[in-house]
Amino acid sequence: MKYRVADQNDLHALEELALASYGRLKKVLTPENWAKMESVLTSDQTFPLLVRTCHSFVCEENRRLLGMAFLVPRGNPTKVYSAETSYIRMVGVHPDADGKGIAQILTQLCMDKAKETEEKLISLHSAEIMYAARHIYEKLGFKKIRLLDEHYGLKYWFYQLEIR
């Protein structure tokens, strides 16, 4: 497996990976909430924007994307994230590659890039049903800070890590 920076040539493969990775949620979400999530994953804007504005990392094997993660630099506030924090988005691993440590390595690549670019804080959010992801984040030192408003009918928690 090879880890590298994603680029504009990966856009279609990133969308396919997102649908495979997050598609597992289809069976636990209501049809309405799955439709909302799917529309974000397949939007013409989602991955072009992430690749253009973030530090974008992928894992590939035999030219097939198996994992992805995006580090958004500070100064890009949202309803969830303040301007003072960088944050990790869309960590996803293809179901065929579960259990190979890909999500942890991609998250660590985001952490390393945050340190290299002198970020002070990294944040992320994760849903109640994403047990493996939350375990990885906590193992890497992220602290659960607060419960967020429900999204897609799920509870989400806000996590944060101070960069040293």
Side-chain angles (χ1 to χ4, degrees):
M1 287 186 282
K2 173 183 166 187
Y3 292 86
R4 63 173 176 81
V5 173
D7 62 36
Q8 295 294 319
N9 295 318
D10 295 313
L11 297 177
H12 181 70
L14 286 165
E15 183 179 314
E16 286 181 351
L17 174 58
L19 287 170
S21 176
Y22 288 92
R24 298 178 249 207
L25 299 176
K26 185 176 183 175
K27 57 188 165 200
V28 297
L29 297 177
T30 65
E32 296 81 20
N33 281 323
W34 170 248
K36 287 179 197 174
M37 181 178 279
E38 186 178 35
S39 73
V40 169
L41 298 175
T42 58
S43 166
D44 290 344
Q45 297 175 13
T46 299
F47 291 103
L49 179 65
L50 287 170
V51 169
R52 189 174 62 251
T53 61
C54 303
H55 303 286
S56 309
F57 301 99
V58 293
C59 172
E60 70 177 355
E61 186 173 56
N62 299 323
R63 299 166 83 163
R64 178 181 176 218
L65 293 190
L66 298 178
M68 64 182 172
F70 302 89
L71 176 67
V72 182
R74 73 178 170 272
N76 291 284
T78 69
K79 164 175 120 168
V80 174
Y81 303 107
S82 72
E84 292 78 40
T85 186
S86 61
Y87 50 96
I88 297 175
R89 296 270 332 270
M90 304 281 289
V91 177
V93 174
H94 195 284
D96 294 347
D98 280 349
K100 295 183 178 184
I102 294 170
Q104 183 168 330
I105 293 169
L106 288 167
T107 303
Q108 185 66 57
L109 287 170
C110 289
M111 293 166 62
D112 294 345
K113 180 54 84 171
K115 189 172 190 170
E116 176 188 320
T117 57
E118 299 181 351
E119 297 286 355
K120 303 295 182 235
L121 293 171
I122 307 176
S123 302
L124 57 86
H125 67 276
S126 189
E128 62 186 305
I129 60 173
M130 296 179 177
Y131 306 107
R134 290 189 297 120
H135 173 75
I136 289 167
Y137 303 142
E138 291 169 14
K139 180 178 170 183
L140 290 171
F142 284 86
K143 303 290 183 222
K144 191 186 292 185
I145 304 297
R146 69 180 183 275
L147 185 64
L148 297 170
D149 293 338
E150 274 194 13
H151 196 56
Y152 301 118
L154 299 171
K155 291 180 187 174
Y156 277 78
W157 282 276
F158 180 87
Y159 285 80
Q160 200 159 58
L161 176 71
E162 225 176 291
I163 303 293
R164 297 189 171 116

